[in-house]
């Protein structure tokens, strides 16, 4: 886990997996989990079981982001 001071008195902590990817970010008392596919591409940002953002790869290398 890595703690990073952000603006003001807010502190963010980042938890990494064995592959060095950020898998959880804690800011104040809010937790955000990052979900990856088997190839290592970011699929979603979750807050518990609630989807915050979804990332869908598109043709030509673009990515659609859904809130």
């Amino acid at each position: 886990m890595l703690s990073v001071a952000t603006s003001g008195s807010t502190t963010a902590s980042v938890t990494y997996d064995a592959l060095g990817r950020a898998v959880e970010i804690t800011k104040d008392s809010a937790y955000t989990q990052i979900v990856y596919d088997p190839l290592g591409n970011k699929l979603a940002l979750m807050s518990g079981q609630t989807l915050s953002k979804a990332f869908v790869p598109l043709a030509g290398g673009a990515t659609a982001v859904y809130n």
Side-chain angles (χ1 to χ4, degrees):
M1 183 181 329
L2 174 68
S3 292
V4 178
T6 58
S7 63
S9 62
T10 304
T11 300
S13 297
V14 181
T15 303
Y16 296 89
D17 67 5
L19 299 175
R21 302 175 299 193
V23 292
E24 184 174 70
I25 300 170
T26 306
K27 188 173 178 184
D28 294 328
S29 61
Y31 295 88
T32 301
Q33 295 81 26
I34 304 168
V35 181
Y36 297 92
D37 70 10
L39 298 177
N41 301 312
K42 190 185 304 183
L43 285 179
L45 298 179
M46 305 287 292
S47 180
Q49 293 181 350
T50 305
L51 178 67
S52 300
K53 286 188 180 181
F55 303 94
V56 179
L58 302 173
T63 301
V65 180
Y66 294 95
N67 293 332

